Short mmCIF file of all heavy atoms in Angstrom, two decimals:
data_model
loop_
_atom_site.label_atom_id
_atom_site.label_comp_id
_atom_site.label_asym_id
_atom_site.label_seq_id
_atom_site.Cartn_x
_atom_site.Cartn_y
_atom_site.Cartn_z
N ARG S 4 0.10 8.90 -0.17
CA ARG S 4 0.74 10.27 -0.47
C ARG S 4 0.63 11.19 0.68
O ARG S 4 -0.43 11.37 1.30
CB ARG S 4 0.07 10.87 -1.74
CG ARG S 4 0.70 12.23 -2.15
CD ARG S 4 0.01 12.79 -3.42
NE ARG S 4 0.39 11.98 -4.50
CZ ARG S 4 1.48 12.22 -5.27
NH1 ARG S 4 2.22 13.27 -4.98
NH2 ARG S 4 1.69 11.45 -6.33
N ALA S 14 15.48 19.40 0.43
CA ALA S 14 14.70 19.49 -0.81
C ALA S 14 15.59 19.42 -2.07
O ALA S 14 15.30 18.72 -3.03
CB ALA S 14 13.86 20.77 -0.86
N ALA S 26 13.97 7.48 -1.71
CA ALA S 26 15.04 8.00 -0.85
C ALA S 26 14.47 8.34 0.55
O ALA S 26 15.13 8.03 1.58
CB ALA S 26 15.61 9.16 -1.46
N ALA S 28 11.78 7.04 2.05
CA ALA S 28 11.35 5.78 2.67
C ALA S 28 12.62 5.09 3.21
O ALA S 28 12.56 4.59 4.34
CB ALA S 28 10.60 4.85 1.70
N ALA S 30 15.55 6.40 4.13
CA ALA S 30 16.03 7.18 5.26
C ALA S 30 15.13 6.94 6.57
O ALA S 30 15.67 6.79 7.63
CB ALA S 30 16.12 8.75 4.93
N ARG S 32 13.24 4.33 7.12
CA ARG S 32 13.47 2.93 7.58
C ARG S 32 14.73 2.76 8.32
O ARG S 32 14.79 2.02 9.31
CB ARG S 32 13.38 2.00 6.40
CG ARG S 32 11.96 1.78 5.88
CD ARG S 32 11.91 0.65 4.83
NE ARG S 32 10.56 0.53 4.29
CZ ARG S 32 10.20 0.85 3.10
NH1 ARG S 32 11.00 1.27 2.22
NH2 ARG S 32 8.94 0.72 2.76
N ALA S 38 16.40 2.87 15.92
CA ALA S 38 15.70 2.84 17.17
C ALA S 38 15.63 1.38 17.63
O ALA S 38 15.77 1.16 18.83
CB ALA S 38 14.30 3.53 16.94
N MET S 44 20.24 -3.21 22.01
CA MET S 44 21.38 -2.98 22.77
C MET S 44 21.10 -2.68 24.31
O MET S 44 21.85 -3.25 25.17
CB MET S 44 22.28 -1.81 22.19
CG MET S 44 23.00 -2.25 20.96
SD MET S 44 24.16 -0.98 20.40
CE MET S 44 23.07 0.40 19.92
N ARG S 59 6.96 7.84 28.59
CA ARG S 59 7.12 8.60 29.83
C ARG S 59 8.28 9.63 29.82
O ARG S 59 8.22 10.66 30.28
CB ARG S 59 7.30 7.61 31.04
CG ARG S 59 7.24 8.18 32.39
CD ARG S 59 7.19 7.19 33.46
NE ARG S 59 8.33 6.26 33.50
CZ ARG S 59 8.25 5.00 33.13
NH1 ARG S 59 7.10 4.48 32.77
NH2 ARG S 59 9.24 4.13 33.17
N ARG S 72 25.36 18.07 17.75
CA ARG S 72 25.15 17.37 16.54
C ARG S 72 26.48 17.28 15.75
O ARG S 72 26.75 16.21 15.09
CB ARG S 72 24.08 18.08 15.74
CG ARG S 72 22.71 17.98 16.24
CD ARG S 72 21.70 18.59 15.31
NE ARG S 72 20.30 18.49 15.91
CZ ARG S 72 19.57 17.38 15.95
NH1 ARG S 72 20.00 16.34 15.49
NH2 ARG S 72 18.30 17.53 16.47
N THR S 86 38.64 4.92 12.47
CA THR S 86 39.65 5.79 13.15
C THR S 86 39.29 6.20 14.58
O THR S 86 39.86 7.00 15.13
CB THR S 86 39.86 7.14 12.29
OG1 THR S 86 38.61 7.83 12.27
CG2 THR S 86 40.42 6.84 10.94
#
Side-chain angles (χ1 to χ4, degrees):
R4 179 177 290 271
R32 284 189 182 112
M44 286 188 291
R59 190 171 56 253
R72 289 186 182 282
T86 57

